[in-house]
Amino acid sequence: MGKSYWLNKLKYFSLFFLLFALYWLPDIILAYPEVYLKSLVGYERQVIATWIFLGNLSISLFLGIFLVYKLGYLKGTLSIFKWKNLLFLLFSTCILLLIYFFTSTYYNSHFTQPGVAKLESTFANQITYPFIQFISFNICGPFFEEAAFRTTIYRFFKNDKTAFIVSCVGFAWMHTGPNPILIVYLPMSIVLTSIYHRRRVLGESILVHGVLNALLPIVIPLLQVITGLYYL
C-alpha cells in the first residue's frame, strides 16, 4: 500500500468529519448568542433566534452542496427522475414508513423515551419558528447525513460489503448511541443504505430520507388510526 493509498484514505476520513462540522455549525453558532437570547422573551427572542439559525443553515447548506458537487458526489442525480427509479424510490419510502411505524410502536410500548432527545427537541421547537426545524430536519439533515454515511464511506472502503455494514451501523448508532431505540434506526439505515448501494446515486438516498422525515409526523398518526395499533 503506497503513499497515495493512505492519502486517499485520509482525504475521505477528513471529508466525513468536515461534512458533519458543516452540518452541526448552525447549532454550535446558535449556542453562543443564547447568552444574549436569554435576556429576551417571547416573540422577540424567537424572531432573533430564527434569523440567526436560518442564516447559519443557509451558509452550511451552500458550502455542503458546493463541496459534494466539486467531489462528484452528485453524479447521476438527474437519472432519479426516470419512471423506473421514481417508482422504486416511492416503494422504498413506503417500506421505510411501515418499518418505522412497527418498530417505533414496539419501542414506545416497551421502553422509556430518551429524556435528553426529548428535551433537545422541545428546546429547538421553542426557540425558533417551526419552518426552520423543517429545513433542518428535512433538507439539511438528509443531505449531510447521506453524503457522509453513504458516498464518503463507500469511497473510503474498497470492499462494498464492508462499506455497506459500516454505513448501516454507523448511521444508526449516530442517531441512538447505546440505546434500545437502535431497533428503530438500524432497519431504516439498512433500507437507506440499500437504496444508495443499488446505483451509487447519492441524490436517491437524500430524496427518500428527506421525504421520509417530512411524512413521519403525518403518516404515523394516520397509520395508528387506520390500524388501531398503539402498542405492540
Side-chain angles (χ1 to χ4, degrees):
M1 295 181 184
K3 183 179 178 181
S4 60
Y5 173 84
W6 292 109
L7 285 174
N8 189 56
K9 293 292 186 186
L10 179 62
K11 171 186 174 182
Y12 288 108
F13 185 79
S14 302
L15 279 170
F16 182 86
F17 288 100
L18 177 57
L19 284 165
F20 272 97
L22 289 172
Y23 179 29
W24 286 323
L25 182 65
D27 293 301
I28 293 170
I29 293 178
L30 185 63
Y32 286 100
E34 175 58 13
V35 176
Y36 164 69
L37 291 170
K38 281 180 179 176
S39 66
L40 304 174
V41 293
Y43 176 77
E44 187 178 17
R45 180 173 186 259
Q46 194 174 37
V47 168
I48 292 175
T50 294
W51 282 110
I52 291 173
F53 204 35
L54 180 60
N56 297 339
L57 282 176
S58 301
I59 294 169
S60 292
L61 195 57
F62 172 80
L63 292 174
I65 292 172
F66 179 78
L67 177 64
V68 300
Y69 174 77
K70 284 294 184 181
L71 290 168
Y73 280 23
L74 299 180
K75 285 183 179 179
T77 300
L78 292 179
S79 66
I80 293 172
F81 300 101
K82 293 181 179 179
W83 280 110
K84 180 179 72 174
N85 295 327
L86 284 174
L87 289 172
F88 172 78
L89 297 180
L90 177 62
F91 175 75
S92 300
T93 304
C94 293
I95 293 297
L96 277 166
L97 287 167
L98 289 173
I99 288 173
Y100 185 89
F101 172 66
F102 287 110
T103 55
S104 62
T105 301
Y106 178 85
Y107 174 79
N108 293 332
S109 301
H110 294 83
F111 302 97
T112 304
Q113 288 277 8
V116 175
K118 291 185 75 174
L119 287 173
E120 287 179 350
S121 176
T122 301
F123 171 75
N125 289 328
Q126 286 179 348
I127 199 171
T128 59
Y129 286 127
F131 81 89
I132 294 293
Q133 296 307 315
F134 181 89
I135 295 172
S136 179
F137 191 60
N138 302 314
I139 299 176
C140 291
F143 176 82
F144 284 108
E145 289 174 8
E146 293 302 318
F149 279 104
R150 307 315 162 201
T151 308
T152 303
I153 285 180
Y154 266 77
R155 291 191 179 189
F156 184 87
F157 294 101
K158 284 190 174 181
N159 186 295
D160 283 352
K161 290 182 180 178
T162 303
F164 186 91
I165 293 170
V166 173
S167 178
C168 289
V169 176
F171 176 84
W173 190 264
M174 181 203 71
H175 286 83
T176 66
N179 189 288
I181 202 172
L182 187 67
I183 64 174
V184 177
Y185 282 89
L186 185 56
M188 292 170 61
S189 182
I190 291 171
V191 176
L192 284 170
T193 306
S194 298
I195 291 169
Y196 177 77
H197 188 86
R198 171 177 168 257
R199 295 201 310 129
R200 308 296 196 278
V201 176
L202 178 62
E204 291 188 341
S205 58
I206 290 175
L207 179 61
V208 172
H209 191 161
V211 171
L212 173 71
N213 284 0
L215 291 178
L216 283 178
I218 302 169
V219 174
I220 299 307
L222 182 61
L223 285 173
Q224 288 176 332
V225 172
I226 292 173
T227 64
L229 285 176
Y230 294 88
Y231 303 98
L232 275 177

